[in-house]
Amino acid sequence: MLKMQQINKIYRTELVETHALREFNLSVNEGEFVTVTGPSGSGKTTFLNIAGLLEEISQGQYFLDGVNVVGLNDKERSRLRNEKIGFIFQSFNLIPDLNLFENVDVPLRYRGFNAKERKRRIEQALEQVGLAARMKHLPAQLSGGQQQRVAIARALAGEPKFLLADEPTGNLDSLMARQVMELLKNINKQGTTIVMVTHDAALARCGQRNIQIVDGQVCDFSLYDKNPQASAFENPQTAASTTTTAASIA
Amino acid sequence: MLEISPIFNAMMRHKSHALLLIIQIALTLAIVANAAFIIENRLTLMNRDSGLPEAQLFKFDVFSFGKDIDLNQQMELDETMLRAIPGVIDAVTINQIPISGSGDNTIFMDRDDTPNKNNNDKNLHSKSNTPAKHVHTGVYRGDTHTLNTLGVKLIAGRNFSEDEIIYGNETQPISVAIVSKAFITTMFPELKGLEQQGVGKLIYVFRIPIKIIGIVDKLQSSQVTSSHIEQTIILPKIQTRNFYRFLIRTAANQQQAVIDKVENLMLKLYPNRVIRTPRTLTYLRDNSYADDKMMTQLLMILIVILFLITALGIVGMAVFNVNRRRKQIGTRRALGASKGNIIRYFMIENWLITNLGIVLGIALSILLSQFLMQQFSLPKLDNSYIMATMIAIWLLGIMAVYFPAKKAAQISPAIATRSI
C-alpha cells in the first residue's frame, strides 16, 4: 500500500539545514493498522506530511498504492490525495462555516461525483459514524468526539484505501477517545489500511504494528501483536489503562 | 466544477463580513452609472455644432467716450476699415456673439394674441381656439453683412437688402427677419421637413408683424445653457450706442495677425474710445462651457476614486478571508483541492458578493436617477450605462481578487497537520 525507500527530507533556511527524515524506509501492507510513535521533533509530522502527499520529499522513492509520487505535479498529487487518502486530523479541521453534510461533501466535490452520488455517500458515511440525524448542524454545535466522527465520515466518504490519522484522539476525553478508536478499528476490519501517528505509547498498541521514529529514522520495529483479536481495545483491562493515559495527555 | 451553493451558504452564515462590501459595490454602481451618464450628456452638449466657422471668428467691444462724432457714421467707417484689413473675410457690428454665454432673447409668436381694449378676447377666439405659439428666441441684430460674417448657410429665401436695415435714429418698425431652421420647426411644427416653406410666414413680437424672408441652416444663440439655443432670429437693425461690438471673420490662419492689428487701426481711425481685448470664438466657447468641462472632469475623478476604493475593498476582503482561513485552505488542499480549486473558490465567493452588490446597485441607480431627474431636471438614466458599469465592476472584481486568491493557493497543505 505504502512503500518509502531511502527518503530524505531536508528543510533549508538561510542559516540552518534540518534533516527531518534521513534514509527513511517503511512499507505498509494493504489492510494493516500501523501506529507511528516518537518523541517531539523526531520527524513524526514530517513523515505524516510526506505519506499524505502534503509535502514533497527531497530524495528517495515513495510509492502509494503502486503509484510513484515523485515528480507528480500539483494537480496529480491533489487528485491522488483525494482518491487514495482519507485524513483524520488532531484538531478535526472541520470547516466551521459549513454544516456536517457540506463538510463531508468537500472532498467528494473535488472528486467530481454528481449530486446524487455525493448525497448517497455523505448519508452513508454519516450513518456509519452515527451522526446521520445531525446533518444540518454546524460543527460548533457538536462535542469534540462528534466532530472527530464527522471528520472520520469525511475521510470515509471518498472510500479511500488508506486512512492517515494524526493524533485522532489528542483533543478528546477518554470516553470519546475510546469511541473514536473503536470506530477506527472497525474501519480497519473492513479492509481500510490505517496509519496513525501518536505520541502516546499506550494508544500505539491499538495497532497491529508500531513504528518508532527517532531523529528522522525508523528506530524500533516492534510487532506488538499480529492478531488483531488480542489488541488493546479488545481487552477491557488494557483498554482502561490506555484510555486513562490518553486522557492524562489530552 | 462550480461550488456555488456551499460557498453561498457559508457566506450567508457570515453576512456581516460581506455586507459592507456589498453596499460599497452597490453605491459604486449607482454613482458611477449616473456620473457616466451625466458626463456623456455634458460632452454631447459641449460638442454640439454651433453652425459657425468658429476658428475663423473673433469679436471685440468698443466703448466710445468722445462726444465729437456721429456714432452711426463712425460705425460705418469702422466697418469699412475692418473689412479692408488683409485676411478679413467680413465684419459686422452685432448685438451679441454666438455661444459667448450672454445676449438678448425674446419671445416670438405665430399670431398676434395680445389682448387690448379694441381687440378683445372675442376677436382672438374667433381666429383660433388654441392660444398663440410662444417661441423663446435668441435675437441677433445686424446689417447685410451679418450672414457672411457669421458664415452661416442660407437654405431658403434671401439676405437683407440695404434699404431694409434700420439704423438707430430711424423710427420705422422692423418688418423682415431671417430665422434659423430650428426656429421654423419650433414655431411651425407642421413645416418639419419642409422648412423652406417658412419663407413668407409672419411672426409677431409686441404685436408687430414680421415677415420671414430667409432661413439659415443652423445658428446657435449666445446662451449655451438654454434649451432654446437653436432657435434664433436675425433682425435688420443697427443700434447706435456708445458701447458696441464687432464680430470679424478672417481666414483661419490670419486670425492672430488681424487681432494684433485691430486695436491700433481702430484708435487711429478715432482715438477717443477704448477697445477691449479681442476674444476668439474658441476662447468664448471654452469660457461658456467651463462649468460643464469642470463638472465632467470632477465626475471622472469621482469615478476613478470610487473604482479604486471598491477595488481596495475587494482586495482587503479577500486578503482578510485568506488569512482567516489559512487552516481551512490547507485542509481543503489536503482533502484534494488543487491550487486551481482554491483560486476558483475565492473568485466564486467574490463573484457572488459582486453580484449581490450589483443587484442592489441597479435598484440604487434607478432611485438616484429618479432623484436627479426630480431635483436637477436631468434626463432619465439610460440602461446601457448601468450595463457598462456592471461589466466594469465585474472585471474590477476579478482583477482585484485574483492576486489574493493566487496567494491563497500557495498556502501549503501541510498547514492542515499543524495544531495551533
Side-chain angles (χ1 to χ4, degrees):
Chain A
M1 184 70 225
L2 184 148
K3 196 170 167 194
M4 291 176 163
Q5 292 174 331
Q6 294 292 316
I7 285 185
N8 281 295
K9 177 67 186 178
I10 301 161
Y11 294 104
R12 287 193 178 89
T13 63
E14 278 177 25
L15 297 172
V16 196
E17 205 172 75
T18 314
H19 284 255
L21 292 182
R22 49 180 99 216
E23 291 169 10
F24 188 91
N25 292 297
L26 177 68
S27 278
V28 175
N29 296 323
E30 198 155 343
E32 261 194 302
F33 190 156
V34 175
T35 58
V36 178
T37 51
S40 291
S42 60
K44 284 197 309 285
T45 302
T46 305
F47 159 74
L48 181 84
N49 287 344
I50 284 171
L53 302 180
L54 304 181
E55 280 187 68
E56 294 193 41
I57 54 181
S58 306
Q59 283 165 352
Q61 294 289 324
Y62 173 24
F63 294 90
L64 177 64
D65 198 25
V67 180
N68 184 359
V69 304
V70 176
L72 293 183
N73 65 26
D74 175 70
K75 214 170 172 177
E76 291 162 339
R77 289 170 73 86
S78 300
R79 176 132 205 102
L80 206 59
R81 266 201 302 269
N82 184 269
E83 286 176 5
K84 306 273 187 201
I85 308 170
F87 280 97
I88 301 163
F89 304 98
Q90 179 177 3
S91 40
F92 327 134
N93 291 19
L94 295 177
I95 294 168
D97 301 338
L98 301 181
N99 64 30
L100 305 195
F101 185 94
E102 290 162 340
N103 261 290
V104 179
D105 195 19
V106 169
L108 302 182
R109 278 179 181 266
Y110 293 132
R111 185 84 69 92
F113 288 134
N114 63 35
K116 202 177 149 196
E117 174 69 8
R118 295 202 315 266
K119 187 166 183 286
R120 184 187 70 75
R121 282 171 178 255
I122 295 164
E123 285 170 356
Q124 194 185 24
L126 284 170
E127 190 74 47
Q128 203 176 341
V129 300
L131 288 166
R134 311 192 66 170
M135 266 184 238
K136 299 291 171 199
H137 286 72
L138 290 175
Q141 296 169 304
L142 303 183
S143 71
Q146 286 170 327
Q147 289 191 38
Q148 191 58 300
R149 275 151 57 196
V150 176
I152 291 170
R154 180 175 66 184
L156 291 178
E159 292 172 6
K161 288 194 146 180
F162 169 42
L163 269 190
L164 200 50
D166 175 22
E167 304 270 11
T169 59
N171 285 5
L172 302 178
D173 65 34
S174 59
L175 182 67
M176 287 178 177
R178 188 189 157 119
Q179 284 173 351
V180 165
M181 285 312 297
E182 274 171 6
L183 193 54
L184 288 180
K185 287 185 69 66
N186 277 332
I187 291 162
N188 176 241
K189 268 190 207 161
Q190 285 159 28
T192 308
T193 313
I194 297 181
V195 171
M196 181 176 84
V197 173
T198 178
H199 63 266
D200 178 351
L203 212 61
R205 262 178 268 146
C206 297
Q208 298 155 3
R209 181 151 71 102
N210 174 250
I211 294 156
Q212 283 207 357
I213 300 177
V214 175
D215 288 340
Q217 285 179 310
V218 176
C219 170
D220 185 9
F221 196 73
S222 50
L223 297 171
Y224 278 94
D225 192 350
K226 283 210 168 186
N227 177 8
Q229 295 298 318
S231 69
F233 273 115
E234 300 302 321
N235 179 333
Q237 275 151 7
T238 328
S241 71
T242 307
T243 46
T244 310
T245 320
S248 63
I249 288 163
Chain B
M1 180 194 52
L2 291 178
E3 31 183 341
I4 291 176
S5 70
I7 295 175
F8 185 76
N9 292 344
M11 213 169 77
M12 284 298 105
R13 291 180 188 126
H14 281 284
K15 287 188 201 72
S16 58
H17 287 174
L19 197 63
L20 278 178
L21 195 55
I22 289 172
I23 293 171
Q24 193 183 345
I25 288 168
L27 284 175
T28 302
L29 174 62
I31 296 171
V32 169
N34 278 286
F37 183 60
I38 293 171
I39 289 173
E40 176 58 29
N41 275 324
R42 296 288 170 121
L43 287 178
T44 309
L45 207 69
M46 289 163 72
N47 293 328
R48 280 179 308 187
D49 177 21
S50 65
L52 306 169
E54 290 176 28
Q56 299 183 342
L57 294 168
F58 77 92
K59 70 110 187 182
F60 66 90
D61 300 339
V62 181
F63 181 73
S64 281
F65 52 84
K67 306 285 182 199
D68 53 340
I69 46 156
D70 174 353
L71 271 175
N72 258 330
Q73 197 185 14
Q74 186 59 48
M75 282 160 87
E76 288 286 325
L77 289 171
D78 290 344
E79 276 187 335
T80 312
M81 181 276 289
L82 289 168
R83 287 169 192 155
I85 299 173
V88 171
I89 295 170
D90 213 339
V92 71
T93 56
I94 198 165
N95 63 317
Q96 65 169 331
I97 307 296
I99 62 173
S100 64
S102 74
D104 304 342
N105 64 85
T106 189
I107 293 172
F108 285 82
M109 287 175 282
D110 63 346
R111 59 179 174 270
D112 174 20
D113 73 343
T114 315
N116 63 22
K117 284 167 199 164
N118 305 323
N119 180 15
N120 60 22
D121 283 359
K122 207 163 51 183
N123 193 0
L124 171 72
H125 286 293
S126 67
K127 284 183 184 174
S128 167
N129 288 327
T130 52
K133 184 118 190 161
H134 289 55
V135 176
H136 289 264
T137 312
V139 179
Y140 290 100
R141 296 186 195 87
D143 61 16
T144 56
H145 290 265
T146 314
L147 287 186
N148 190 39
T149 307
L150 286 167
V152 291
K153 195 172 129 208
L154 199 63
I155 58 165
R158 60 170 177 84
N159 193 2
F160 302 122
S161 62
E162 189 54 51
D163 59 338
E164 286 167 333
I165 309 297
I166 299 158
Y167 291 91
N169 47 1
E170 297 168 351
T171 53
Q172 75 264 40
I174 294 163
S175 60
V176 293
I178 296 169
V179 298
S180 68
K181 191 167 136 184
F183 177 90
I184 295 285
T185 46
T186 313
M187 182 66 94
F188 309 109
E190 69 277 12
L191 292 184
K192 195 167 171 58
L194 306 162
E195 287 85 358
Q196 280 91 337
Q197 293 179 16
V199 176
K201 289 259 182 196
L202 285 179
I203 49 174
Y204 296 84
V205 63
F206 307 124
R207 307 194 61 222
I208 303 163
I210 298 174
K211 190 174 157 191
I212 295 169
I213 58 156
I215 299 166
V216 295
D217 190 30
K218 192 169 181 60
L219 173 59
Q220 287 190 332
S221 77
S222 57
Q223 282 157 335
V224 294
T225 53
S226 163
S227 59
H228 313 295
I229 185 170
E230 304 291 345
Q231 297 145 25
T232 45
I233 192 165
I234 307 169
L235 301 175
K237 185 171 172 66
I238 300 289
Q239 285 172 306
T240 312
R241 293 183 303 192
N242 52 7
F243 176 83
Y244 54 103
R245 58 171 56 110
F246 284 101
L247 181 67
I248 294 159
R249 181 167 155 223
T250 66
N253 56 355
Q254 302 282 317
Q255 192 180 55
Q256 195 52 49
V258 175
I259 289 171
D260 292 342
K261 274 180 232 169
V262 115
E263 187 176 357
N264 282 339
L265 290 171
M266 286 292 286
L267 292 177
K268 214 164 117 191
L269 208 57
Y270 177 66
N272 291 337
R273 53 185 176 179
V274 177
I275 311 297
R276 281 177 61 191
T277 318
R279 296 288 187 201
T280 65
L281 231 67
T282 312
Y283 171 91
L284 293 173
R285 164 179 280 277
D286 288 348
N287 221 22
S288 297
Y289 286 110
D291 286 352
D292 295 291
K293 197 173 168 187
M294 188 160 88
M295 172 73 106
T296 56
Q297 283 168 347
L298 281 176
L299 288 176
M300 280 178 198
I301 292 170
L302 179 73
I303 289 175
V304 170
I305 290 174
L306 278 175
F307 273 150
L308 264 178
I309 292 174
T310 305
L312 285 176
I314 293 170
V315 170
M317 175 87 177
V319 168
F320 170 74
N321 276 333
V322 169
N323 288 335
R324 188 170 64 92
R325 299 190 193 134
R326 291 182 72 80
K327 183 109 179 181
Q328 182 190 135
I329 293 163
T331 304
R332 283 177 180 277
R333 293 276 284 133
L335 297 177
S338 63
K339 288 181 179 177
N341 288 133
I342 299 297
I343 292 179
R344 207 144 46 235
Y345 181 95
F346 284 96
M347 300 287 253
I348 291 173
E349 185 177 54
N350 177 69
W351 184 73
L352 286 172
I353 292 174
T354 306
N355 281 353
L356 288 174
I358 282 174
V359 170
L360 187 62
I362 290 172
L364 279 182
S365 308
I366 294 166
L367 285 178
L368 180 59
S369 166
Q370 279 170 353
F371 173 78
L372 293 173
M373 278 162 73
Q374 281 164 8
Q375 299 293 314
F376 303 102
S377 316
L378 287 184
K380 185 175 176 291
L381 174 64
D382 194 298
N383 288 342
S384 62
Y385 289 84
I386 300 181
M387 285 291 291
T389 313
M390 230 165 79
I391 291 166
I393 290 177
W394 261 327
L395 293 177
L396 189 78
I398 290 168
M399 286 190 293
V401 85
Y402 181 72
F403 292 100
K406 216 174 154 194
K407 217 181 122 204
Q410 299 305 323
I411 291 173
S412 165
I415 199 172
T417 57
R418 263 176 238 161
S419 39
I420 305 155

Coordinates of all heavy atoms in Angstrom, one line a residue, chain B residues 75 79 83 91-96 139-147 149-150 159-162 164-167 174 176 178 233-239 245:
Chain B
M75 N -19.6 104.1 -36.9 CA -19.7 102.6 -37.0 C -19.5 102.2 -38.5 O -18.9 101.2 -38.7 CB -21.1 102.2 -36.5 CG -21.1 102.1 -34.9 SD -22.8 102.2 -34.3 CE -23.2 100.5 -34.3
E79 N -16.6 99.7 -39.8 CA -16.9 98.5 -40.6 C -16.1 98.5 -41.9 O -15.5 97.5 -42.2 CB -18.4 98.4 -40.9 CG -19.2 97.8 -39.8 CD -20.6 97.6 -40.1 OE1 -21.1 98.2 -41.0 OE2 -21.2 96.7 -39.5
R83 N -13.3 95.7 -42.8 CA -13.4 94.8 -43.9 C -12.3 94.9 -44.9 O -12.0 94.0 -45.7 CB -14.8 95.1 -44.7 CG -16.0 94.7 -43.9 CD -17.3 95.2 -44.4 NE -18.4 95.0 -43.5 CZ -19.5 95.7 -43.4 NH1 -19.7 96.7 -44.3 NH2 -20.4 95.5 -42.6
A91 N -16.9 91.7 -41.7 CA -17.0 92.2 -40.3 C -18.4 92.9 -40.2 O -18.9 93.4 -41.2 CB -15.9 93.2 -40.0
V92 N -18.9 92.8 -39.0 CA -20.2 93.4 -38.8 C -20.4 93.9 -37.3 O -19.8 93.3 -36.4 CB -21.4 92.4 -39.1 CG1 -21.4 91.3 -38.1 CG2 -22.7 93.1 -39.3
T93 N -21.1 95.0 -37.1 CA -21.5 95.3 -35.7 C -22.7 94.5 -35.4 O -23.6 94.4 -36.1 CB -21.9 96.8 -35.6 OG1 -22.9 97.1 -36.4 CG2 -20.7 97.7 -35.8
I94 N -22.6 93.9 -34.2 CA -23.7 92.9 -33.9 C -24.0 93.1 -32.4 O -23.1 93.5 -31.6 CB -23.2 91.5 -34.2 CG1 -24.3 90.5 -34.3 CG2 -22.1 91.0 -33.3 CD1 -24.0 89.2 -35.0
N95 N -25.2 92.8 -32.0 CA -25.5 93.0 -30.6 C -25.1 91.9 -29.7 O -24.8 92.1 -28.5 CB -27.1 93.1 -30.4 CG -27.8 91.8 -30.9 OD1 -27.4 91.2 -31.9 ND2 -28.7 91.4 -30.1
Q96 N -25.0 90.6 -30.2 CA -24.5 89.5 -29.3 C -23.7 88.6 -30.1 O -23.8 88.5 -31.3 CB -25.7 88.8 -28.6 CG -26.6 88.1 -29.6 CD -27.6 87.2 -28.9 OE1 -27.3 86.7 -27.9 NE2 -28.7 87.0 -29.6
V139 N -31.9 86.7 -30.2 CA -32.1 87.7 -31.2 C -30.8 88.3 -31.6 O -30.0 88.9 -30.7 CB -33.1 88.8 -30.7 CG1 -33.2 89.9 -31.7 CG2 -34.4 88.2 -30.3
Y140 N -30.4 88.3 -32.9 CA -29.2 89.0 -33.4 C -29.7 90.2 -34.1 O -30.7 90.2 -34.8 CB -28.5 88.1 -34.4 CG -27.8 86.9 -33.7 CD1 -28.3 85.6 -33.7 CD2 -26.5 87.1 -33.1 CE1 -27.7 84.6 -33.1 CE2 -25.9 86.0 -32.4 CZ -26.5 84.8 -32.5 OH -25.8 83.8 -31.9
R141 N -29.0 91.3 -34.0 CA -29.3 92.5 -34.8 C -28.0 92.9 -35.6 O -26.9 93.0 -35.0 CB -29.7 93.6 -33.9 CG -31.0 93.4 -33.2 CD -31.5 94.6 -32.4 NE -32.5 94.2 -31.5 CZ -32.2 93.8 -30.2 NH1 -31.0 93.7 -29.8 NH2 -33.2 93.5 -29.4
G142 N -28.2 93.0 -36.9 CA -27.0 93.4 -37.7 C -27.5 93.9 -39.1 O -28.7 94.0 -39.3
D143 N -26.5 94.0 -40.0 CA -26.9 94.5 -41.3 C -26.7 93.5 -42.4 O -26.7 92.3 -42.0 CB -26.0 95.8 -41.6 CG -24.5 95.5 -41.6 OD1 -24.2 94.3 -41.7 OD2 -23.7 96.4 -41.6
T144 N -26.5 93.9 -43.6 CA -26.5 92.9 -44.7 C -25.2 92.0 -44.6 O -25.2 91.0 -45.3 CB -26.4 93.7 -46.1 OG1 -25.3 94.6 -46.0 CG2 -27.7 94.5 -46.3
H145 N -24.3 92.4 -43.8 CA -23.0 91.6 -43.7 C -23.1 90.5 -42.7 O -22.2 89.7 -42.5 CB -21.8 92.5 -43.4 CG -21.5 93.4 -44.6 ND1 -20.5 93.1 -45.5 CD2 -22.0 94.6 -45.0 CE1 -20.4 94.0 -46.4 NE2 -21.3 95.0 -46.1
T146 N -24.2 90.5 -41.9 CA -24.3 89.5 -40.8 C -24.1 88.1 -41.2 O -23.4 87.3 -40.6 CB -25.6 89.7 -40.1 OG1 -25.9 91.1 -39.9 CG2 -25.6 89.0 -38.7
L147 N -24.9 87.7 -42.2 CA -24.8 86.3 -42.7 C -23.4 85.9 -43.1 O -22.9 84.8 -42.7 CB -25.8 86.0 -43.8 CG -27.3 86.0 -43.5 CD1 -28.1 85.7 -44.8 CD2 -27.6 85.1 -42.4
T149 N -20.6 87.3 -42.3 CA -19.7 87.3 -41.2 C -19.8 86.1 -40.3 O -18.8 85.4 -40.0 CB -19.8 88.6 -40.4 OG1 -19.8 89.7 -41.2 CG2 -18.7 88.7 -39.3
L150 N -21.1 85.7 -40.0 CA -21.3 84.5 -39.2 C -20.9 83.3 -40.0 O -20.6 82.2 -39.4 CB -22.8 84.4 -38.8 CG -23.3 85.4 -37.8 CD1 -24.8 85.4 -37.7 CD2 -22.7 85.0 -36.4
N159 N -31.0 87.2 -48.3 CA -30.4 88.1 -47.3 C -31.2 89.4 -47.3 O -32.0 89.7 -48.2 CB -29.0 88.3 -47.7 CG -28.2 89.0 -46.6 OD1 -28.7 89.2 -45.5 ND2 -26.9 89.2 -46.8
F160 N -30.9 90.2 -46.3 CA -31.5 91.6 -46.2 C -31.0 92.4 -47.4 O -29.8 92.2 -47.8 CB -31.1 92.3 -44.9 CG -31.6 91.6 -43.7 CD1 -30.6 91.2 -42.7 CD2 -32.9 91.3 -43.5 CE1 -31.0 90.5 -41.6 CE2 -33.3 90.6 -42.3 CZ -32.4 90.2 -41.4
S161 N -31.8 93.4 -47.8 CA -31.2 94.4 -48.7 C -30.9 95.6 -47.9 O -31.4 95.8 -46.8 CB -32.3 94.7 -49.8 OG -33.4 95.3 -49.2
E162 N -30.0 96.4 -48.5 CA -29.5 97.6 -47.7 C -30.6 98.5 -47.2 O -30.6 99.0 -46.1 CB -28.5 98.4 -48.6 CG -27.8 99.5 -47.9 CD -27.0 98.9 -46.7 OE1 -26.3 97.9 -46.8 OE2 -27.2 99.6 -45.6
E164 N -33.5 97.7 -46.2 CA -34.3 97.1 -45.1 C -33.6 97.3 -43.8 O -34.2 97.1 -42.7 CB -34.5 95.6 -45.3 CG -35.5 95.3 -46.4 CD -35.4 93.8 -46.9 OE1 -34.4 93.2 -46.7 OE2 -36.5 93.3 -47.3
I165 N -32.3 97.7 -43.7 CA -31.6 97.9 -42.5 C -32.1 99.2 -41.8 O -32.1 100.3 -42.4 CB -30.1 98.0 -42.7 CG1 -29.6 96.8 -43.6 CG2 -29.3 98.1 -41.4 CD1 -29.8 95.5 -43.0
I166 N -32.4 99.1 -40.5 CA -32.9 100.2 -39.8 C -31.8 100.7 -38.8 O -31.3 99.9 -38.0 CB -34.1 99.9 -39.0 CG1 -35.2 99.4 -40.0 CG2 -34.6 101.0 -38.1 CD1 -36.3 98.6 -39.4
Y167 N -31.4 101.9 -39.0 CA -30.3 102.4 -38.1 C -30.9 103.1 -36.9 O -32.1 103.4 -36.9 CB -29.4 103.3 -38.9 CG -28.6 102.6 -39.9 CD1 -29.1 102.4 -41.2 CD2 -27.4 101.9 -39.6 CE1 -28.4 101.6 -42.1 CE2 -26.7 101.2 -40.5 CZ -27.2 101.0 -41.8 OH -26.5 100.3 -42.7
I174 N -39.4 97.2 -37.4 CA -38.8 96.1 -38.2 C -39.9 95.4 -38.9 O -40.9 95.1 -38.3 CB -38.0 95.2 -37.2 CG1 -36.8 96.0 -36.6 CG2 -37.5 94.0 -37.9 CD1 -36.2 95.3 -35.4
V176 N -39.0 92.7 -41.5 CA -38.5 91.4 -42.1 C -37.4 90.8 -41.1 O -36.9 91.5 -40.3 CB -37.8 91.7 -43.5 CG1 -38.9 92.1 -44.5 CG2 -36.7 92.7 -43.4
I178 N -34.6 87.1 -40.7 CA -34.0 85.8 -41.2 C -34.0 85.0 -39.9 O -33.6 85.4 -38.8 CB -32.6 86.0 -41.8 CG1 -32.7 86.9 -43.0 CG2 -32.0 84.7 -42.1 CD1 -31.4 87.3 -43.6
I233 N -33.0 84.3 -34.4 CA -33.6 85.2 -35.4 C -32.6 86.3 -35.7 O -31.8 86.7 -34.7 CB -35.0 85.8 -35.0 CG1 -35.7 86.5 -36.1 CG2 -34.8 86.7 -33.8 CD1 -37.2 86.7 -35.8
I234 N -32.5 86.8 -36.9 CA -31.6 88.0 -37.2 C -32.5 89.1 -37.7 O -33.3 88.9 -38.6 CB -30.6 87.7 -38.3 CG1 -29.8 86.4 -37.9 CG2 -29.6 88.8 -38.5 CD1 -28.9 85.9 -39.1
L235 N -32.4 90.2 -37.0 CA -33.2 91.4 -37.3 C -32.3 92.4 -38.0 O -31.2 92.6 -37.6 CB -33.9 92.0 -36.1 CG -34.8 91.0 -35.3 CD1 -35.4 91.6 -34.1 CD2 -36.0 90.5 -36.2
P236 N -32.9 93.1 -39.0 CA -32.1 94.1 -39.8 C -32.0 95.5 -39.1 O -32.6 96.4 -39.5 CB -32.8 94.2 -41.1 CG -34.3 94.0 -40.7 CD -34.2 93.0 -39.5
K237 N -31.2 95.5 -38.0 CA -31.2 96.7 -37.2 C -29.8 97.0 -36.6 O -29.2 96.0 -36.1 CB -32.2 96.7 -36.1 CG -32.3 98.0 -35.3 CD -33.5 97.9 -34.3 CE -33.6 99.1 -33.4 NZ -33.8 100.4 -34.0
I238 N -29.3 98.2 -36.7 CA -28.1 98.5 -36.1 C -28.4 99.5 -35.0 O -28.9 100.6 -35.3 CB -27.1 99.2 -37.1 CG1 -26.8 98.2 -38.3 CG2 -25.8 99.7 -36.4 CD1 -25.9 97.1 -37.9
Q239 N -28.1 99.2 -33.8 CA -28.4 100.1 -32.7 C -27.2 101.0 -32.5 O -26.1 100.6 -32.6 CB -28.6 99.3 -31.4 CG -29.9 98.6 -31.3 CD -30.0 97.7 -30.1 OE1 -29.2 96.8 -29.9 NE2 -31.1 97.9 -29.3
R245 N -20.2 96.3 -30.4 CA -19.2 95.3 -30.6 C -19.2 94.8 -32.1 O -20.1 95.0 -32.8 CB -19.4 94.1 -29.7 CG -20.7 93.4 -29.8 CD -20.7 92.1 -28.9 NE -20.4 92.3 -27.6 CZ -21.2 92.2 -26.5 NH1 -22.5 91.9 -26.8 NH2 -20.8 92.4 -25.3

